[in-house]
Amino acid sequence: MTPGSGGLPLELMRQVTAATAAALDVLAEQAPGEAGELRRVAARSWSTPTVVVAGEVKRGKSSLVNALLAAPGLSPVNAELVSGCAVRFRHGPLVEARALPVGGAAALPVPVPVAGLADVVFTPGEQQDQPAQPRLIEVAHPSPMLAGLSLVDAPGFGGLVDAPGELALAAVRDAAALLFVADASGPLGDPELTFLRVASEAVELVVVALTKIDVFRGWREVLAEDRALLAGLAPRLATADILPVSARLAERAVAATAPELTALLHTEARVAELRRLLRTSVAAQAEQLRGANTLRTARTLLTTLDHRLLAEREVLAVERGGIEGWHAERQALAGARRAGGRSWQVRLRAEIQRARLETMTEVQQEIRDQAQHWRVRIDRADQPALDRLPAELDAVIRVLSRHHIERMLARLCGVTDAVLGELFVPEAVAEVYAGFARSPGWSASLATPERRARSPEDRVVALGGVMAGFGAGRLVALVPAMAGAGLAAAVTLPVSVGLGLAAST
Amino acid sequence: MGQDTAGGPLCRTVGQTCRELRPRLSGLSSARLDRVLERLSDPLQLAVAGRLKAGKSTVVNALIGRRVAATDVRECTRLVTRFRYGPVDRVEVVGTDGGRYAVPFDGDGVVPTELGLPIDRIAYLDAFCTSAALRSVTIIDTPGPGPAGAARGHRSRTALDRAEAVLYVFTQTARVDDARALTGFRARTVPGLASPINAIGVLNKADLLDAPEPISAARSLAASQARALRQQLRTVLPLAGLLAETTATGCLTEADGEVLRQLAALAPGRRELLLGSADLFVRPDPAIAVAVAGRLRLLERLDLFGIRHATDLLAVDAALTTGELRRRLAERSGLAPLRDLVGDAFGCHADGIKANVALTALRHIGRQAATARDRAVIADAVEELAQQPLAHQLRVVAAAALVSSGAVRVPEQLAVELDRLAHGGDPVDQLGAPHLDRRGLAELALRRARAWRAFATAGSSPAQGRIAHVVHRGYVLLWQRLGDAAEAVGTGDPDQDPAP
């Protein structure tokens, strides 16, 4: 393992601490309130990072998870069936499992017997009280492996049914690390490489586990070929760790009684090395995320402070110029307002209309395509395939709706940028965004496992949505009110004056 | 079987048409026609395809019964190699410029590594072997898809273009790209056949499945894969490739047998530990008297599953001879059903497959012909051919393939009957009535024709209807043929209702 690819070097850690301390010093002097906020962020504890275990179907993901947890048979393994939904393993004093049904936060988790996991994972639920396959199964287990991280056993992709590839990718986007499971039967195939390329863009740390080295005696050659393939894929992946492991030997080691035999099997299974690597590098990853988040908050706070001080300096400069400067400024602004008229309102309306149309066209097109696709599937399906269809359809819809929501968010962000860009000077736009970033309850967080990290832009989208709802006329009153948090001390900013005038007309 | 099936009745009919056409065509078209004729007299061309490391060359060796294809990572496994029957063992290197020259097999009888040309200037290899297995079928070993295979893709076409049937090798489970590769491969090599009649899947390395009883797990896995891939494959067979290769090529020597006996004599606990993994098996251990070199050789010949199975057999009966051991291991490998299927299914379908491919090629030549006259002449000939009673059998074969692939469903009994009609060697086989005389057969054919016509018109879906019409006409033609031969039962126009 090369230094810096996973673990956080001490030097960098020291720099992060120093930078945070320096930022605290500046803030404590200029803005004690903000300094308190930075202190709070720096001390915040993080929820455990998630490691997603993903790979093609039948590569031995579930077996590997069981080996990592030293819990044979916990995650259901079947040589013929393919897991249909993700299983999340988190730390808990007792072994227990619950299913989180489709339907978001409103749907309550259903307890599942641990021994009956296989039924839930492999077959779409057919019981009356559980109409669909669950969204996620959560298993608590006291394994020390789970103390610092949680594992998600994602459904395999590349099977003959096409949906779960997207599901696995979606799971990776929320994770701190990807544990990619390939096996020693042959070098990585095209679907695997494609998955790795896409996934490595979303997740920082990629570890490859080469499973089944007990059966495939050519695993050393395969490992060398995989390394070359990864290097060809992306420079960052060239240094990714590839660890050969054997889940079967690990399982036998647990079952073995003679101590020297257990030791030998453990050595040959090589699971301990993978365990160690995950623990150190993912824990380090969590530390790194924490450092990055602290620094990001510090930067936002300092930028705001910088703008505020600049504004104050401007005000002081104007005061030095005398009251005539003010009058001139006011007249110039009033002129600009009359000249500009309400063009920004027209533009906002047009942009929102366009975004609405584009989104609708896209969604309609998607619905047409999907309807076509599923019609063909239903026509060709036999009875078992039909039984599987609802679960697959559900999975695909979930992925697609997420995709479209993201597209719509991006589009509304564009609208907001365009309109705000017309109204405000860039510094003031930054100030508005910063205001959202700092407002309580919205603080940036990268480690929340369930929700994607929110950027200030996303919040402005929320504003965009509100704007669309209220209509442009009332927006005038709304914007200063919302921006107020950021502009608190800067009442004399030229823009505020302009807005104030607009509001009073 | 081979030489006669290559010249089966359907092939002869198409060949006759081609020979009649030849003098009436202009230069270019007639040269192309010569190639079609040449192919008609060749044995069936079977391509072995699959992902990298799926064990294609191992399957090739097992089928040929000799270790001729290199199974380690050599450059030549990245070339298309055609294994054909020949009186003298030799390898012909075909350059990208079309030039050919011969090189001998290397010391072990394997296609040599040194080919005398840089690999990017070689189009494909033609390996001639004296193996009897190659009399009825020519086996084309293809490189797996990948950087190397893709780069040479267009150049190796010449050999691949000739493939008429596919043996698709995959391990563990078929993946979505396997299905895609298979569709693409079949579209490229045998575009004339829209049915999976000429494609068989092999679930290789069945012994390496992660299950307590890998071979039986492989059997049910193969069955479910066959269901999932029924649009593309006729069937899927499990195979322990390495075991099949070693036992079929006679690589299990007396010395290997001796090592196996020594291993069988070890304490069960020790043996179990040795068989834990490949690395454990060849680990030097002073407590185990069996030489590491011998163990390594065994591992390369049988893999852990084979060794486990062999030592289990020896532990029960220490007097087992090496020959008997080889036979029992061969039984376990699953090679016999595959060989039967390749010989049988492809063998008895070879006539239909080859004739269909030739007919497609003929149509293609017609479309591509330079002059309008050539186009018209060929189109007429193809039309005329389709009118011949024998050519209708091609359609019956295609219909049977549609049914056996599950693309169209008909009641079980009718499906069995259709399979018989399509693949039976003579009217008695086709009708499945060995006790009847010619007259009785003719009557039976007529009765079945009526039954299928009733099925076609009443209560069948459009797809079933199309199939039923083809079958109906097939029976009518059979009836006519039987009637003509016995006596003039009637001169009924086959296109009209044969029922009085």
Side-chain angles (χ1 to χ4, degrees):
Chain A
M1 179 174 167
T2 54
S5 70
L8 192 61
L10 278 174
E11 176 58 21
L12 186 57
M13 204 60 222
R14 210 181 49 74
Q15 283 177 11
V16 170
T17 318
T20 314
L24 268 176
D25 282 352
V26 175
L27 284 172
E29 192 181 308
Q30 295 291 335
E34 275 86 346
E37 192 182 329
L38 182 59
R39 239 176 251 122
R40 191 174 53 77
V41 170
R44 193 192 290 166
S45 69
W46 296 86
S47 54
T48 48
T50 304
V51 177
V52 168
V53 185
E56 263 189 325
V57 292
K58 294 281 131 229
R59 292 294 193 202
K61 291 175 293 298
S62 300
S63 305
L64 182 64
V65 168
N66 291 343
L68 281 172
L69 302 181
L74 181 62
S75 190
V77 177
N78 189 313
E80 279 186 56
L81 295 171
V82 177
S83 316
C85 82
V87 185
R88 174 187 199 84
F89 295 89
R90 58 173 182 78
H91 197 259
L94 293 172
V95 182
E96 56 188 353
R98 55 192 193 142
L100 307 180
V102 181
L108 289 173
V110 186
V112 183
V114 175
L117 271 185
D119 300 336
V120 188
V121 175
F122 289 128
T123 52
E126 278 152 17
Q127 301 93 326
Q128 289 298 309
D129 56 337
Q130 195 195 314
Q133 200 174 27
R135 180 168 57 88
L136 180 75
I137 294 178
E138 208 174 60
V139 178
H141 192 272
S143 163
M145 179 73 214
L146 294 171
L149 50 90
S150 62
L151 288 172
V152 171
D153 186 0
F157 62 90
L160 291 174
V161 289
D162 45 359
E166 284 292 316
L167 281 185
L169 266 184
V172 170
R173 288 200 190 98
D174 293 332
L178 167 65
L179 174 58
F180 190 80
V181 181
D183 70 22
S185 66
L188 293 165
D190 276 345
E192 287 177 308
L193 290 172
T194 312
F195 182 91
L196 271 172
R197 201 186 56 237
V198 178
S200 69
E201 283 161 14
V203 66
E204 193 62 38
L205 177 66
V206 178
V207 176
V208 179
L210 194 70
T211 57
K212 307 189 187 172
I213 59 164
D214 51 327
V215 238
F216 295 99
R217 62 199 148 83
W219 64 265
R220 288 184 178 83
E221 293 147 34
V222 172
L223 188 123
E225 275 187 57
D226 281 356
R227 196 177 294 287
L229 283 171
L230 283 183
L233 203 60
R236 202 159 64 75
L237 287 174
T239 57
D241 291 287
I242 307 181
L243 275 87
V245 291
S246 161
R248 187 142 60 163
L249 288 182
E251 193 175 323
R252 287 186 53 187
V254 173
T257 44
E260 73 269 30
L261 182 60
T262 311
L264 174 62
L265 286 173
H266 271 309
T267 319
E268 287 293 320
R270 297 170 184 241
V271 171
E273 287 160 46
L274 180 60
R275 232 179 252 153
R276 202 173 311 127
L277 175 68
L278 282 181
R279 217 180 278 133
T280 51
S281 52
V282 173
Q285 183 81 1
E287 199 58 27
Q288 206 165 352
L289 276 175
R290 194 163 85 139
N293 248 29
T294 310
L295 286 185
R296 192 169 294 124
T297 312
R299 182 165 160 270
T300 312
L301 292 172
L302 288 174
T303 315
T304 322
L305 184 66
D306 186 36
H307 286 314
R308 205 178 70 200
L309 291 177
L310 271 179
E312 271 175 20
R313 196 178 70 186
E314 220 166 283
V315 170
L316 292 175
V318 169
E319 270 176 357
R320 218 183 298 134
I323 202 83
E324 297 81 30
W326 276 79
H327 280 299
E329 177 103 39
R330 185 190 160 126
Q331 258 161 21
L333 281 171
R337 186 172 64 81
R338 271 193 299 276
R342 299 188 169 224
S343 73
W344 67 271
Q345 290 184 16
V346 176
R347 176 138 187 222
L348 178 66
R349 255 187 235 123
E351 291 279 346
I352 287 180
Q353 187 67 9
R354 205 178 68 187
R356 195 175 71 92
L357 275 176
E358 282 176 358
T359 308
M360 265 171 53
T361 319
E362 256 180 34
V363 171
Q364 278 166 355
Q365 181 63 39
E366 187 74 66
I367 290 176
R368 262 199 303 275
D369 289 352
Q370 290 296 324
Q372 172 68 23
H373 172 80
W374 291 97
R375 207 174 295 130
V376 173
R377 285 281 294 274
I378 291 169
D379 280 351
R380 289 193 185 152
D382 51 7
Q383 195 54 46
L386 276 179
D387 291 342
R388 277 198 310 272
L389 272 183
E392 280 173 33
L393 182 62
D394 175 65
V396 171
I397 288 177
R398 236 181 299 140
V399 171
L400 286 179
S401 57
R402 183 174 178 153
H403 171 73
H404 281 287
I405 287 171
E406 274 169 15
R407 291 285 296 268
M408 194 173 74
L409 282 180
R411 208 164 266 146
L412 287 177
C413 279
V415 173
T416 323
D417 281 348
V419 176
L420 287 184
E422 187 171 320
L423 281 177
F424 297 89
V425 287
E427 292 81 38
V429 174
E431 180 100 2
V432 172
Y433 284 150
F436 291 128
R438 288 189 311 127
S439 57
W442 292 97
S443 57
S445 113
L446 274 170
T448 36
E450 290 299 319
R451 205 184 268 159
R452 208 169 58 86
R454 285 185 176 270
S455 60
E457 283 82 357
D458 286 2
R459 251 142 265 140
V460 176
V461 169
L463 172 65
V466 173
M467 283 172 173
F470 272 76
R474 292 174 63 181
L475 172 74
V476 185
L478 199 66
V479 169
M482 293 189 76
L487 304 177
V491 274
T492 47
L493 255 184
V495 214
S496 297
V497 175
L499 274 174
L501 285 173
S504 62
T505 49
Chain B
M1 166 189 70
Q3 299 300 5
D4 354 317
T5 40
L10 296 177
C11 281
R12 276 201 299 276
T13 311
V14 178
Q16 185 60 32
T17 303
C18 289
R19 269 186 293 277
E20 283 167 13
L21 259 179
R22 203 186 168 291
R24 297 163 57 198
L25 293 179
S26 59
L28 183 63
S29 296
S30 71
R32 290 171 133 189
L33 203 62
D34 282 344
R35 282 211 292 279
V36 174
L37 270 167
E38 194 185 312
R39 284 183 64 169
L40 270 172
S41 55
D42 278 347
L44 184 77
Q45 310 279 311
L46 173 67
V48 179
R51 271 194 183 193
L52 279 173
K53 287 248 173 206
K56 297 179 288 294
S57 298
T58 310
V59 174
V60 167
N61 288 338
L63 284 175
I64 297 179
R66 249 174 71 178
R67 280 178 57 89
V68 281
T71 48
D72 49 357
V73 192
R74 290 194 200 179
E75 287 235 290
C76 44
T77 65
R78 318 224 155 180
L79 284 173
V80 171
T81 310
R82 196 155 57 142
F83 294 96
R84 338 165 47 172
Y85 182 77
V88 182
D89 284 350
R90 67 176 196 283
V91 180
E92 279 187 9
V93 180
V94 182
T96 45
D97 53 2
R100 270 174 181 267
Y101 63 94
V103 293
F105 279 96
D106 74 2
D108 303 328
V110 178
V111 173
T113 322
E114 259 321 307
L115 293 166
L117 262 187
I119 190 142
D120 54 351
R121 287 184 46 206
I122 300 174
Y124 65 95
L125 303 178
D126 244 348
F128 294 86
C129 307
T130 49
S131 301
L134 288 175
R135 276 178 186 273
S136 59
V137 64
T138 293
I139 297 178
I140 306 169
D141 190 7
T142 69
R152 208 159 288 107
H154 61 285
R155 285 194 291 266
S156 50
R157 282 285 180 79
T158 15
L160 273 183
D161 271 347
R162 305 188 53 148
E164 290 157 335
V166 184
L167 203 62
Y168 196 84
V169 183
F170 58 90
T171 56
Q172 301 184 73
T173 182
R175 291 158 214 277
V176 66
D177 62 326
D178 287 320
R180 227 177 280 138
L182 195 49
T183 311
F185 190 87
R186 289 186 45 232
R188 212 171 69 215
T189 52
V190 274
L193 289 177
S195 65
I197 185 172
N198 59 343
I200 291 179
V202 174
L203 175 61
N204 197 16
K205 306 194 183 176
D207 51 333
L208 300 185
L209 277 184
D210 194 3
E213 228 325 308
I215 299 283
S216 56
R219 215 167 284 143
S220 65
L221 186 58
S224 70
Q225 300 287 314
R227 268 197 304 283
L229 287 167
R230 59 171 190 266
Q231 314 281 344
Q232 275 117 344
L233 295 173
R234 200 178 136 83
T235 184
V236 178
L237 288 178
L239 181 77
L242 188 65
L243 211 52
E245 187 193 27
T246 301
T247 50
T249 58
C251 281
L252 191 71
T253 60
E254 202 55 53
D256 295 328
E258 203 41 54
V259 179
L260 281 171
R261 273 181 210 104
Q262 290 174 14
L263 287 171
L266 291 174
R270 282 227 170 273
R271 184 147 56 91
E272 201 47 39
L273 177 62
L274 267 185
L275 293 172
S277 82
D279 285 1
L280 285 172
F281 188 75
V282 294
R283 197 174 59 107
D285 184 345
I288 293 168
V290 189
V292 171
R295 284 188 257 161
L296 194 60
R297 198 183 127 80
L298 267 190
L299 192 63
E300 280 166 6
R301 292 278 183 273
L302 296 178
D303 231 328
L304 288 178
F305 173 81
I307 298 171
R308 178 187 296 272
H309 189 59
T311 49
D312 283 354
L313 287 174
L314 286 167
V316 174
D317 179 6
L320 225 54
T321 63
T322 307
E324 177 61 15
L325 201 59
R326 191 185 301 133
R327 202 189 59 73
R328 296 221 191 150
L329 286 175
E331 211 170 88
R332 202 91 181 108
S333 71
L335 179 61
L338 177 64
R339 258 191 180 159
D340 287 353
L341 200 65
V342 168
D344 240 47
F346 288 155
C348 73
H349 293 151
D351 191 29
I353 295 172
K354 290 188 75 72
N356 253 323
V357 171
L359 199 58
T360 310
L362 193 57
R363 282 206 191 98
H364 190 66
I365 295 175
R367 276 198 298 276
Q368 303 250 305
T371 66
R373 203 180 139 269
D374 278 5
R375 277 198 291 275
V377 167
I378 294 175
D380 285 353
V382 169
E383 197 58 34
E384 216 168 279
L385 192 65
Q387 293 299 316
Q388 287 192 22
L390 252 183
H392 185 75
Q393 187 64 15
L394 291 178
R395 268 183 245 154
V396 177
V397 169
L402 279 178
V403 171
S404 66
S405 69
V408 179
R409 269 159 218 240
V410 300
E412 184 61 29
Q413 216 186 335
L414 294 185
V416 172
E417 190 188 327
L418 173 52
D419 198 57
R420 210 165 48 208
L421 180 70
H423 303 139
D426 56 49
V428 178
D429 277 356
Q430 283 178 300
L431 290 163
H435 54 282
L436 290 178
D437 62 359
R438 255 198 127 79
R439 200 188 182 89
L441 286 172
E443 272 167 20
L444 179 62
L446 191 58
R447 265 207 311 281
R448 293 317 302 159
R450 260 183 237 152
W452 277 91
R453 216 175 70 99
F455 179 65
T457 42
S460 63
S461 71
Q464 287 174 331
R466 277 193 294 278
I467 299 244
H469 278 299
V470 169
V471 180
H472 161 247
R473 190 161 148 72
Y475 272 120
V476 169
L477 292 171
L478 189 60
W479 165 72
Q480 210 178 21
R481 196 141 58 90
L482 289 164
D484 282 350
E487 54 177 290
V489 171
T491 51
D493 186 335
D495 285 330
Q496 283 168 13
D497 183 3

